[in-house]
Amino acid sequence: MLDKFKDECGVFGIFGHPEAANLTYLGLYALQHRGQESAGICTADGEKMRISRAMGQVADAFDERALDALPGHIAIGHTRYSTTGESRLLNAQPILIDCAHGQIAIAHNGNLVNASELRQRLVRDGSIFQTSSDTEVVLHLYARSREHTVEDALIESIAQITGAFSFALLTKDRLIAARDPHGFRPLALGKLDGAYIVTSETCALDLIGATYIRDVEPGEVLIISDGGMRSLHPFPPAPLAHCIFEHVYFARPDSYVFGRSVNDVRTQLGRILAEESRVDADVVSPIPDSGVCGATGFAEKSGIPMAMGLIRNHYVGRTFIQPQQAIRHLSVRIKLNPVRSVLEGRRVILVDDSIVRGTTSRKIVKMVRAAGAKEVQRPTRWRT
Amino acid sequence: MLDKFKDECGVFGIFGHPEAANLTYLGLYALQHRGQESAGICTADGEKMRISRAMGQVADAFDERALDALPGHIAIGHTRYSTTGESRLLNAQPILIDCAHGQIAIAHNGNLVNASELRQRLVRDGSIFQTSSDTEVVLHLYARSREHTVEDALIESIAQITGAFSFALLTKDRLIAARDPHGFRPLALGKLDGAYIVTSETCALDLIGATYIRDVEPGEVLIISDGGMRSLHPFPPAPLAHCIFEHVYFARPDSYVFGRSVNDVRTQLGRILAEESRVDADVVSPIPDSGVCGATGFAEKSGIPMAMGLIRNHYVGRTFIQPQQAIRHLSVRIKLNPVRSVLEGRRVILVDDSIVRGTTSRKIVKMVRAAGAKEVQRPTRWRT
Amino acid sequence: MLDKFKDECGVFGIFGHPEAANLTYLGLYALQHRGQESAGICTADGEKMRISRAMGQVADAFDERALDALPGHIAIGHTRYSTTGESRLLNAQPILIDCAHGQIAIAHNGNLVNASELRQRLVRDGSIFQTSSDTEVVLHLYARSREHTVEDALIESIAQITGAFSFALLTKDRLIAARDPHGFRPLALGKLDGAYIVTSETCALDLIGATYIRDVEPGEVLIISDGGMRSLHPFPPAPLAHCIFEHVYFARPDSYVFGRSVNDVRTQLGRILAEESRVDADVVSPIPDSGVCGATGFAEKSGIPMAMGLIRNHYVGRTFIQPQQAIRHLSVRIKLNPVRSVLEGRRVILVDDSIVRGTTSRKIVKMVRAAGAKEVQRPTRWRT
Amino acid sequence: MLDKFKDECGVFGIFGHPEAANLTYLGLYALQHRGQESAGICTADGEKMRISRAMGQVADAFDERALDALPGHIAIGHTRYSTTGESRLLNAQPILIDCAHGQIAIAHNGNLVNASELRQRLVRDGSIFQTSSDTEVVLHLYARSREHTVEDALIESIAQITGAFSFALLTKDRLIAARDPHGFRPLALGKLDGAYIVTSETCALDLIGATYIRDVEPGEVLIISDGGMRSLHPFPPAPLAHCIFEHVYFARPDSYVFGRSVNDVRTQLGRILAEESRVDADVVSPIPDSGVCGATGFAEKSGIPMAMGLIRNHYVGRTFIQPQQAIRHLSVRIKLNPVRSVLEGRRVILVDDSIVRGTTSRKIVKMVRAAGAKEVQRPTRWRT
């Protein structure tokens, strides 16, 4: 899908590993598709906390010196898509602050619906905000909490927010994970040797060789310290409400999200589509890369052979200089090129993961026709 | 294929378009897969020549200001893989020099077999070389030629070299294209409105909306000027010798190379493989991205369903920081992750475009087994 | 003087000029000697406030685009020496915040003695600090003030701090200047056409062609708005306590500080020194550049001719790579080189502005002796 | 002097020291005033040669890693002012080439008068030039020489050029120094322990603790190798023609140039001026820094006291952003500020080292008058 929502972020946390920063770096690498705007890692060694954040992708944001400057056996990390707040380093996460309860860092995937209301109240009472992001309100609530323990202050703070959140929080000696009662965003729990890991998607567990245990449950708060892992359910229960886009296009196909294989869900959607919309055609072509699972399912169910009728350019960069003279379909063609030998004279079924506004799809269809396709079918009932 | 040969480069030239530099930029963008080390564009407006080169990919090498500083209706461009010569800016192409015959720029894809012999002779006669690349000898031969015209001097120079070459050359008012008599490397000729284009692969024609006319023939020299296009065949004929790796993995599947669709050649190789090596299995999985065409052909012929058993990480960067603790299969896993739900309990056929040393393949097979595959087949007879 | 105190900063403010940012840039340029660690400018146009800060010197911190992005007729600027707080961009000034009273920016020269005590109290009450600098406490006091006007809230906040301060503060439509009741640090008031200016030293007025009016008085708060300039004296009076180092080496000799010409003060100190310490010698040489005024006065009074026996290298940069082999006096010699023809066989009097630990002075004396000086006198009674 | 000629460069060479690159770095540091456009060092260890060059000042051009990558006991270095050729890295020196006689590097201070004529001839014969600088012709003559030894080839090449040159040349095992028969530009010979040094000015010897031996003589070629130092005089003698600007403003006052102390020459010029132009005044002020020696001599001879009536801003950078509104004398004032307390009501004599077009001088005089000077005298007969 080319007209993307920008609603995702990658969150990772680890407790109890001598190479916490290195493994968080690898974890963020695996979660890179959930946010390329900025990346950050914060570590703790029981005494001191350290942070490093930079604009851009994980591989650019950290070099060996940066990782060496992040000792400690506990870490959290974040890759960011700008859901709220401007695109600048100050808004990169984790956010690390010092307050009356000591130092705390936060990494957040989600959107808070009562953030601006809480912010106004906090400013009225004399708080000074550093960022324009949702996430900072949680920290101010925490800084102002009169509760006596880190745990109580944190639960009191989280209880005041509503919306979608999967948090990884770090203090000097604790990793805390929390997921909103609706379970909007995913958060999985894994283990590597003795270390606990939380991550937005299981592909990060695969990369570092960790084992998936279970999902952090909706409404659950996990507190992981030298004393082990404790699970709390301090919030009133709420109806489950998983975000469908996690399965459809946020997550990587090799991840398990909300307990199910993303590849299976997408392939199954392709099969259902083939059943619901019986069209005759010569070839099924995915719109790469996101449409490949669906196209595989569609081809399998319909018996129509699959072929790569479109090639994706893997070198597409952010900045792209347009010639002044109009070139037909350039904006699409720079990312995708039709394979004439697959399309020419054929009746083609194109399968994508999802369609938002449909403007890009229309351009792709035109381009595929211009490459010689006799008919182009977009299976109906894909979205209702 | 992960253990790559480094034998390719991308060459592009255009004559007769007011946006010559912009279209060359787009052409190099489409040829990016043929070389990511450096990129360069040289333009001419009939009077003056201008050049801009930088290390890195096309999108990083040029911004709007750089392209605005390259006026003219003639241009050549180059994306480089270091075939010979160290990796540094001085070796980036095009190479532009001034000599007794005026200014000339050259962009080269190929390897000259008598380069070091010619270089020694030229140095003995007092020539000073700037680069450690093969290509510069052509320029020194040209600078020393006693012929009176650009054309004669150039043909005299090229006649002295042996090996693989597809050249795009630029003088202040001419675009010259030349291909070695064996036809080792590809070079296609296209047209856009009144402008002539030469390019290593036809995918560059597709991107800018140009039409493919024919290949520059082995041993042909094309001279394109205000007076039109002239074709010369000044060299003795030689037996045809296309490089098989162009079809197997250098070129993009959507290109036509040596007159044939790369996608068709690869898909057909997959079909032949399925016939030659009859193995029973539950699923055919490509090693993405290069194995997709072959896997499609294999699945089609064998009747075994294809599925994406491996996911490629599209954010793989150059520098990657290794944790000190060993993580199994990390070097491979950072690029490819197995999709457990596709592989678990299945007999799997893995298809790649080609195998050089096989070390990576072995790691992939182990990783696929670790993800639960019951059997892993690499079809035999793939390479002999 | 080479072993410097690090106790200075440059502060500049302007109200009522269409080129407020450009003139602040020039003002900071003139105040560069008061701090080279970072520089910043914040502007206001009556509605919006904008800020730009960078590490390094003024000329590096701002280019034309940066200044163009700072519209408005009111501005404050700052050049920083790290008095308190680590050397990093977050600690650069001005500091701009948003709070219940609206946006406010601050630029500060001085040291607050009750800052850490105030900070502890504020943190206990739930404030989150962004920087490790003294200055931020003023902003938190302001953000929490229950007073209803900007003016009252500001005065209430400043009244709580003790120590040395010359402030320039900026709101969206006001420039506020304040100086502590002791008058530790300088702050001069000037005028250019209709615009008001405040600056740490008068050399900034000279550069932009403004006229010196008077000093901001110890304990005075100036509020400059569209309604004109108002002067308040809201704090209880305190005994005057000018910092002697402002005259001796912080300030530029062409500035007037605390109402007196720095050049005159230093020259007069040289004359007094000549009277107090009658030594016979052949030549008086300053240690450049800071010792020139004093040496001039000494030479004038003593009748001993002055000559430049030491040359200062004007290209001394921050990083300097030492050879492994010891070179005598290298650390000093890299900055100063003796002029053998002036020193050889002579009895030399060396005059510097001040001496802190004397380690550098001892090295200079040795180097001057090694260059052939027969005797080296450091006049006594220079500091007691 | 503010309207500078751009006719100088700094040249340094050392043979026989384990820290050749480090000492060359220091030497260039001391010669920084002779060229800030680019800096370079080339070393040899008897077998291999290595080079590092960068735009900008010495301290920016080299870091520890760059110097560590330059092993060897022989080195030459260069700081460049663009005398001929554009300002770009390709024109930075030393220039290192490989040719039939082996590798050779050159560092040049001076201007060749027959360079373009030689260049034309060489291009006609098939040479390809890399740079637009004078200096490269020497290398092409050398590359084409049919002489059998490095020495003979080099002397044959140098014999063909006419003009001003002080060369330091480096082969894999030799340091060669050469000075033109007229002796236009300086070149001094020094010693440090067993190592030989050549340098444009003696201040570089002072910095590294080396001893001045003598000047390289006009027309002399010094060849320094493991076999010791040999002196040749292979060129026909020519009348001596030292460049007066070396004494007047190129060189540092602490250097000896053409055998005389620059400080002494300038001070003596000040004394002569005082004798020739008897004017009555209250104060003599140098235009810093270049006018200080002359002013000292003038004050001494005339009996009029010297004072610093102008202060130079030591933070003047290359880029300086002008406000749109005119500020009087800004271009001068940004570098120099009048000291009102010295100038007000006085008759002032201003002394500079030299005047080229006089435009800057006129601005300075106006600025000094605006600061309250009653009369401003520029002593006559300064230049004829």
Side-chain angles (χ1 to χ4, degrees):
Chain A
M1 204 183 76
L2 297 166
D3 328 88
K4 284 233 167 188
F5 275 103
K6 302 201 162 169
D7 233 9
E8 67 222 72
C9 279
V11 161
F12 187 92
I14 183 163
F15 183 98
H17 198 286
E19 288 197 69
N22 284 345
L23 292 175
T24 302
Y25 169 78
L26 288 176
L28 295 182
Y29 212 90
L31 299 174
Q32 184 72 81
H33 58 289
R34 297 184 71 87
Q36 296 95 43
E37 184 185 286
S38 64
I41 297 176
C42 186
T43 60
D45 61 7
E47 309 259 318
K48 277 190 88 167
M49 294 178 67
R50 289 159 184 101
I51 193 162
S52 178
R53 303 183 305 174
M55 296 305 284
Q57 298 190 7
V58 178
D60 301 325
F62 298 96
D63 56 15
E64 212 153 343
R65 228 176 50 182
L67 289 179
D68 285 350
L70 293 168
H73 61 292
I74 333 176
I76 61 172
H78 192 267
T79 62
R80 184 173 190 252
Y81 238 113
S82 42
T83 41
T84 63
E86 304 151 65
S87 173
R88 48 197 183 108
L89 187 54
L90 211 60
N91 282 332
Q93 297 197 10
I95 307 175
L96 170 65
I97 61 135
D98 198 0
C99 71
H101 301 287
Q103 282 191 300
I104 192 163
I106 189 167
H108 174 205
N109 172 211
N111 264 61
L112 306 184
V113 295
N114 64 338
S116 70
E117 177 195 322
L118 288 167
R119 187 178 177 128
Q120 276 167 35
R121 199 191 76 206
L122 287 157
V123 166
R124 213 181 309 123
D125 290 347
S127 287
I128 297 177
F129 275 72
Q130 305 178 35
T131 75
S132 55
S133 98
D134 265 21
T135 311
E136 199 182 351
V137 294
V138 184
L139 300 176
H140 281 280
L141 293 171
Y142 179 74
R144 285 176 171 271
S145 170
R146 296 289 174 188
E147 295 287 344
H148 291 295
T149 69
V150 164
E151 206 173 300
D152 291 344
L154 204 54
I155 287 169
E156 189 200 66
S157 310
I158 298 177
Q160 296 176 63
I161 57 173
T162 50
F165 56 85
S166 287
F167 288 135
L169 292 138
L170 182 71
T171 68
K172 69 178 163 45
D173 52 11
R174 251 171 286 199
L175 172 66
I176 299 125
R179 205 170 151 215
D180 67 70
H182 295 279
F184 285 116
R185 298 281 154 225
L187 196 62
L189 177 68
K191 233 176 159 179
L192 173 65
D193 308 327
Y196 284 101
I197 293 144
V198 290
T199 172
S200 293
E201 293 183 30
T202 60
C203 63
L205 300 176
D206 291 348
L207 181 60
I208 62 170
T211 316
Y212 169 70
I213 303 178
R214 62 169 175 90
D215 277 13
V216 177
E217 290 164 28
E220 187 178 19
V221 175
L222 286 176
I223 296 167
I224 310 171
S225 66
D226 285 339
M229 184 171 80
R230 279 183 311 127
S231 163
L232 309 174
H233 283 82
F235 314 121
L240 280 195
H242 296 332
C243 174
I244 178 66
F245 286 105
E246 288 287 347
H247 270 136
V248 173
Y249 73 72
F250 286 169
R252 259 171 52 171
D254 52 330
S255 284
Y256 283 69
V257 159
F258 307 135
R260 293 192 57 192
S261 154
V262 174
N263 175 72
D264 283 4
V265 171
R266 290 194 194 168
T267 308
Q268 183 61 14
L269 285 172
R271 285 190 207 103
I272 295 170
L273 190 68
E275 274 185 8
E276 289 186 354
S277 64
R278 298 186 179 275
V279 247
D280 204 22
D282 302 314
V283 68
V284 174
S285 171
I287 296 180
D289 285 345
S290 50
V292 172
C293 296
T296 307
F298 194 103
E300 184 197 314
K301 193 66 172 184
S302 66
I304 302 167
M306 177 171 123
M308 304 302 284
L310 291 160
I311 293 298
R312 192 178 153 194
N313 182 351
H314 290 306
Y315 298 102
V316 170
R318 230 145 305 194
T319 52
F320 182 75
I321 295 149
Q322 299 270 0
Q324 285 155 336
Q325 164 167 315
I327 293 181
R328 283 203 312 160
H329 317 312
L330 183 61
S331 65
V332 166
R333 208 191 286 267
I334 208 70
K335 294 189 184 156
L336 296 172
N337 198 33
V339 181
R340 183 170 288 272
S341 69
V342 167
L343 302 170
E344 204 155 40
R346 303 268 173 78
R347 291 167 305 157
V348 180
I349 292 173
L350 293 176
V351 181
D352 203 350
D353 60 352
S354 56
I355 292 166
V356 179
R357 289 193 311 272
T359 47
T360 303
S361 304
R362 268 189 291 275
K363 287 179 192 164
I364 294 172
V365 170
K366 276 187 194 161
M367 183 173 75
V368 165
R369 280 222 175 87
K374 215 162 62 184
E375 277 178 31
V376 181
Q377 303 282 350
R378 277 189 298 156
T380 52
R381 290 287 315 267
W382 186 231
R383 293 193 66 205
T384 52
Chain B
M1 203 184 76
L2 297 166
D3 327 88
K4 284 232 166 185
F5 275 105
K6 302 200 164 171
D7 232 9
E8 69 223 71
C9 278
V11 162
F12 186 92
I14 184 163
F15 183 97
H17 198 287
E19 287 197 71
N22 284 346
L23 293 176
T24 301
Y25 169 79
L26 288 177
L28 296 181
Y29 211 92
L31 299 173
Q32 184 71 83
H33 59 288
R34 296 184 72 88
Q36 296 93 46
E37 185 183 285
S38 63
I41 297 175
C42 187
T43 60
D45 60 6
E47 309 258 317
K48 280 191 87 166
M49 292 178 67
R50 289 160 185 101
I51 192 163
S52 178
R53 303 183 304 173
M55 297 306 283
Q57 298 189 7
V58 177
D60 301 325
F62 298 96
D63 55 15
E64 211 155 342
R65 229 176 50 183
L67 289 179
D68 285 350
L70 294 168
H73 61 290
I74 332 176
I76 62 172
H78 191 268
T79 63
R80 184 174 189 251
Y81 237 114
S82 41
T83 41
T84 63
E86 303 151 64
S87 173
R88 49 198 182 106
L89 187 54
L90 212 60
N91 282 332
Q93 295 199 10
I95 308 174
L96 170 66
I97 61 135
D98 198 1
C99 71
H101 301 287
Q103 283 191 299
I104 192 162
I106 189 167
H108 174 205
N109 173 212
N111 266 62
L112 307 184
V113 296
N114 65 338
S116 71
E117 179 195 322
L118 288 168
R119 186 177 176 127
Q120 276 168 37
R121 201 191 75 206
L122 286 158
V123 166
R124 214 182 309 121
D125 291 348
S127 287
I128 298 177
F129 275 72
Q130 304 178 37
T131 76
S132 55
S133 98
D134 265 21
T135 311
E136 197 182 350
V137 296
V138 185
L139 298 176
H140 281 281
L141 294 170
Y142 178 75
R144 284 175 172 272
S145 170
R146 296 290 174 189
E147 294 289 344
H148 292 294
T149 67
V150 164
E151 206 173 300
D152 290 346
L154 204 54
I155 287 168
E156 189 200 65
S157 310
I158 298 177
Q160 295 176 62
I161 59 172
T162 51
F165 58 85
S166 287
F167 287 136
L169 292 137
L170 182 71
T171 68
K172 71 176 163 46
D173 52 11
R174 251 169 287 198
L175 171 67
I176 298 124
R179 202 166 154 220
D180 67 69
H182 294 279
F184 284 117
R185 297 281 154 225
L187 197 60
L189 178 67
K191 231 174 162 182
L192 173 64
D193 307 328
Y196 284 102
I197 294 144
V198 292
T199 171
S200 294
E201 293 183 29
T202 59
C203 62
L205 299 177
D206 290 348
L207 181 60
I208 62 169
T211 316
Y212 169 69
I213 303 178
R214 62 168 176 90
D215 277 13
V216 177
E217 291 164 27
E220 186 178 19
V221 176
L222 285 177
I223 296 167
I224 308 172
S225 66
D226 286 338
M229 183 171 81
R230 279 182 311 128
S231 163
L232 308 175
H233 284 81
F235 316 121
L240 279 196
H242 296 330
C243 173
I244 178 65
F245 285 106
E246 288 287 349
H247 270 137
V248 172
Y249 73 72
F250 285 170
R252 257 171 53 173
D254 53 328
S255 283
Y256 283 68
V257 158
F258 308 136
R260 292 193 59 193
S261 155
V262 173
N263 176 71
D264 283 4
V265 170
R266 290 194 194 167
T267 308
Q268 183 60 14
L269 286 170
R271 285 190 207 104
I272 295 170
L273 188 69
E275 273 182 10
E276 291 185 353
S277 66
R278 300 189 177 272
V279 246
D280 204 22
D282 302 314
V283 69
V284 175
S285 171
I287 296 181
D289 285 341
S290 50
V292 172
C293 297
T296 306
F298 195 101
E300 183 197 316
K301 194 63 171 187
S302 66
I304 302 168
M306 176 171 124
M308 304 301 284
L310 292 159
I311 294 296
R312 191 178 154 198
N313 181 351
H314 290 306
Y315 299 100
V316 170
R318 229 147 305 196
T319 51
F320 182 76
I321 295 148
Q322 299 271 359
Q324 284 157 336
Q325 165 168 314
I327 293 181
R328 283 203 313 160
H329 316 311
L330 183 62
S331 65
V332 166
R333 207 190 286 267
I334 206 72
K335 293 189 185 157
L336 296 172
N337 198 34
V339 181
R340 184 169 286 271
S341 68
V342 169
L343 303 169
E344 204 155 39
R346 302 268 173 77
R347 293 167 304 159
V348 180
I349 293 173
L350 292 177
V351 181
D352 203 350
D353 61 351
S354 56
I355 293 167
V356 179
R357 290 193 310 273
T359 47
T360 302
S361 304
R362 266 188 292 276
K363 287 177 193 165
I364 293 172
V365 168
K366 273 186 196 165
M367 184 173 73
V368 165
R369 279 222 176 88
K374 217 161 62 183
E375 278 179 31
V376 181
Q377 304 281 352
R378 276 189 300 155
T380 52
R381 290 285 315 271
W382 185 233
R383 294 193 62 203
T384 51
Chain C
M1 205 186 74
L2 296 166
D3 327 90
K4 283 233 167 186
F5 276 105
K6 302 202 164 171
D7 232 8
E8 69 223 69
C9 280
V11 161
F12 187 92
I14 184 163
F15 183 97
H17 197 288
E19 288 198 68
N22 284 346
L23 292 176
T24 302
Y25 169 79
L26 288 176
L28 295 182
Y29 211 92
L31 299 174
Q32 184 72 81
H33 59 289
R34 295 184 72 87
Q36 297 94 44
E37 185 185 285
S38 63
I41 297 176
C42 186
T43 60
D45 61 7
E47 309 258 319
K48 278 189 89 168
M49 293 179 67
R50 290 159 183 101
I51 193 162
S52 177
R53 305 183 304 175
M55 297 305 285
Q57 297 189 8
V58 178
D60 301 325
F62 298 95
D63 56 15
E64 212 154 342
R65 227 177 49 181
L67 289 179
D68 285 349
L70 294 168
H73 61 290
I74 332 177
I76 62 173
H78 192 266
T79 62
R80 184 173 189 251
Y81 238 113
S82 41
T83 41
T84 64
E86 303 151 63
S87 173
R88 50 196 181 107
L89 187 54
L90 211 60
N91 282 333
Q93 296 196 10
I95 308 175
L96 170 65
I97 60 135
D98 198 0
C99 71
H101 301 287
Q103 284 190 299
I104 192 163
I106 189 167
H108 174 205
N109 173 212
N111 266 61
L112 306 184
V113 296
N114 63 339
S116 70
E117 179 195 320
L118 288 169
R119 187 178 177 128
Q120 276 168 37
R121 200 192 74 205
L122 286 158
V123 166
R124 214 181 310 120
D125 291 347
S127 288
I128 298 177
F129 276 72
Q130 305 178 36
T131 75
S132 55
S133 97
D134 265 22
T135 310
E136 197 183 349
V137 294
V138 184
L139 299 176
H140 281 281
L141 293 171
Y142 178 74
R144 284 174 172 273
S145 172
R146 296 289 173 188
E147 294 287 345
H148 292 293
T149 68
V150 164
E151 206 172 301
D152 290 345
L154 204 54
I155 287 169
E156 189 200 65
S157 311
I158 299 177
Q160 296 176 61
I161 58 173
T162 50
F165 57 86
S166 288
F167 288 136
L169 291 137
L170 183 70
T171 68
K172 70 177 163 44
D173 52 11
R174 250 169 288 199
L175 172 66
I176 298 124
R179 205 168 152 218
D180 67 68
H182 296 279
F184 284 116
R185 297 283 155 224
L187 195 62
L189 177 69
K191 234 177 159 180
L192 175 64
D193 307 327
Y196 284 101
I197 294 144
V198 291
T199 172
S200 294
E201 293 183 28
T202 60
C203 62
L205 299 176
D206 290 349
L207 182 60
I208 61 170
T211 316
Y212 169 70
I213 302 178
R214 61 170 175 90
D215 278 13
V216 177
E217 290 165 29
E220 185 179 22
V221 176
L222 285 177
I223 296 167
I224 309 173
S225 65
D226 285 339
M229 183 171 80
R230 276 181 314 127
S231 164
L232 308 175
H233 284 81
F235 315 121
L240 279 195
H242 297 330
C243 173
I244 179 66
F245 286 105
E246 288 287 347
H247 270 135
V248 173
Y249 74 71
F250 286 169
R252 260 171 50 173
D254 52 329
S255 284
Y256 282 69
V257 158
F258 308 134
R260 293 194 58 192
S261 155
V262 173
N263 175 72
D264 281 6
V265 170
R266 291 194 194 166
T267 308
Q268 182 62 11
L269 286 170
R271 285 190 207 103
I272 295 170
L273 189 69
E275 273 184 9
E276 290 186 353
S277 66
R278 301 189 176 274
V279 247
D280 205 21
D282 301 313
V283 68
V284 175
S285 172
I287 296 180
D289 286 345
S290 50
V292 173
C293 296
T296 307
F298 195 102
E300 184 197 314
K301 193 65 172 185
S302 66
I304 302 167
M306 176 171 123
M308 303 301 284
L310 292 159
I311 293 296
R312 191 178 153 195
N313 182 352
H314 290 305
Y315 299 102
V316 170
R318 229 145 304 195
T319 52
F320 182 76
I321 295 148
Q322 299 270 1
Q324 284 155 337
Q325 165 167 315
I327 294 181
R328 284 202 313 158
H329 317 311
L330 182 61
S331 64
V332 165
R333 207 190 283 269
I334 208 71
K335 294 189 184 157
L336 296 172
N337 198 35
V339 181
R340 183 169 288 272
S341 69
V342 168
L343 303 169
E344 205 155 38
R346 302 268 174 77
R347 294 168 302 158
V348 180
I349 292 173
L350 292 177
V351 180
D352 202 350
D353 59 352
S354 56
I355 292 166
V356 180
R357 290 192 309 273
T359 47
T360 303
S361 305
R362 268 188 291 275
K363 288 179 192 165
I364 294 171
V365 169
K366 275 188 194 162
M367 183 174 75
V368 165
R369 280 225 174 85
K374 217 161 61 184
E375 279 179 30
V376 181
Q377 304 280 352
R378 277 189 298 156
T380 53
R381 288 288 317 270
W382 184 233
R383 293 193 64 205
T384 53
Chain D
M1 204 185 75
L2 296 166
D3 327 88
K4 283 232 167 188
F5 274 105
K6 303 201 162 170
D7 232 9
E8 67 222 71
C9 279
V11 161
F12 187 92
I14 183 163
F15 183 99
H17 197 286
E19 287 197 69
N22 283 346
L23 293 175
T24 302
Y25 168 79
L26 288 177
L28 295 182
Y29 212 91
L31 299 174
Q32 185 70 82
H33 60 289
R34 296 185 70 87
Q36 297 94 44
E37 184 184 287
S38 64
I41 297 175
C42 186
T43 60
D45 60 8
E47 309 257 318
K48 278 189 89 166
M49 293 177 68
R50 289 160 184 100
I51 193 162
S52 177
R53 305 182 304 174
M55 298 304 286
Q57 298 190 8
V58 177
D60 301 324
F62 298 96
D63 56 15
E64 212 153 343
R65 228 176 52 183
L67 289 178
D68 285 350
L70 293 169
H73 62 291
I74 333 176
I76 62 172
H78 191 266
T79 61
R80 184 174 189 251
Y81 238 114
S82 42
T83 41
T84 64
E86 304 151 64
S87 173
R88 48 198 183 107
L89 187 54
L90 212 60
N91 282 332
Q93 295 198 12
I95 307 174
L96 170 65
I97 61 136
D98 198 1
C99 71
H101 301 288
Q103 283 192 297
I104 192 163
I106 189 167
H108 174 204
N109 174 212
N111 266 60
L112 307 183
V113 296
N114 65 338
S116 69
E117 178 195 322
L118 288 168
R119 187 178 177 127
Q120 277 167 38
R121 200 191 77 205
L122 286 158
V123 167
R124 214 181 308 122
D125 291 347
S127 288
I128 297 177
F129 274 73
Q130 304 178 37
T131 75
S132 54
S133 98
D134 264 21
T135 311
E136 198 182 349
V137 296
V138 184
L139 299 176
H140 282 280
L141 293 170
Y142 178 75
R144 286 176 171 272
S145 171
R146 298 289 173 189
E147 294 289 343
H148 291 295
T149 68
V150 163
E151 205 172 300
D152 290 346
L154 204 53
I155 287 168
E156 189 200 65
S157 311
I158 298 177
Q160 296 176 62
I161 58 172
T162 49
F165 58 85
S166 287
F167 288 136
L169 292 137
L170 182 72
T171 69
K172 71 177 164 42
D173 52 11
R174 250 169 287 199
L175 171 67
I176 299 125
R179 203 166 152 218
D180 67 69
H182 294 280
F184 285 116
R185 298 280 154 227
L187 196 62
L189 178 68
K191 234 178 158 178
L192 173 64
D193 307 327
Y196 284 101
I197 294 144
V198 292
T199 171
S200 294
E201 292 183 30
T202 60
C203 62
L205 299 175
D206 291 347
L207 181 61
I208 62 170
T211 316
Y212 170 70
I213 303 177
R214 61 168 175 91
D215 277 11
V216 178
E217 290 165 27
E220 187 178 18
V221 175
L222 285 177
I223 296 167
I224 309 172
S225 66
D226 284 340
M229 184 171 80
R230 279 182 312 127
S231 164
L232 309 174
H233 285 81
F235 316 121
L240 279 196
H242 297 331
C243 173
I244 178 64
F245 285 105
E246 289 287 348
H247 269 136
V248 172
Y249 73 70
F250 287 170
R252 257 169 54 170
D254 51 329
S255 285
Y256 283 68
V257 157
F258 308 136
R260 294 194 58 194
S261 154
V262 174
N263 175 72
D264 282 6
V265 170
R266 291 193 194 167
T267 308
Q268 183 61 14
L269 286 171
R271 285 190 206 103
I272 295 170
L273 189 69
E275 273 185 7
E276 289 186 354
S277 65
R278 298 185 181 275
V279 246
D280 203 22
D282 302 313
V283 68
V284 174
S285 171
I287 295 180
D289 285 342
S290 50
V292 171
C293 296
T296 306
F298 195 102
E300 183 196 316
K301 194 64 172 187
S302 65
I304 302 167
M306 177 171 122
M308 304 302 283
L310 291 160
I311 293 298
R312 191 178 154 196
N313 182 352
H314 289 307
Y315 298 102
V316 170
R318 229 146 305 196
T319 52
F320 183 75
I321 295 148
Q322 298 270 1
Q324 285 156 335
Q325 163 168 316
I327 294 180
R328 284 203 312 159
H329 317 311
L330 182 63
S331 64
V332 166
R333 208 192 285 265
I334 207 70
K335 294 187 184 157
L336 297 172
N337 197 34
V339 181
R340 184 170 287 270
S341 69
V342 168
L343 302 170
E344 204 155 40
R346 303 267 174 77
R347 293 168 303 159
V348 180
I349 292 173
L350 291 177
V351 181
D352 202 351
D353 60 352
S354 56
I355 292 167
V356 181
R357 290 192 310 273
T359 47
T360 302
S361 305
R362 266 188 292 275
K363 288 179 193 164
I364 294 171
V365 169
K366 275 187 194 163
M367 184 173 72
V368 166
R369 280 223 176 87
K374 216 162 60 184
E375 277 179 31
V376 181
Q377 303 280 352
R378 276 188 299 155
T380 52
R381 289 288 313 273
W382 185 233
R383 294 192 64 205
T384 51

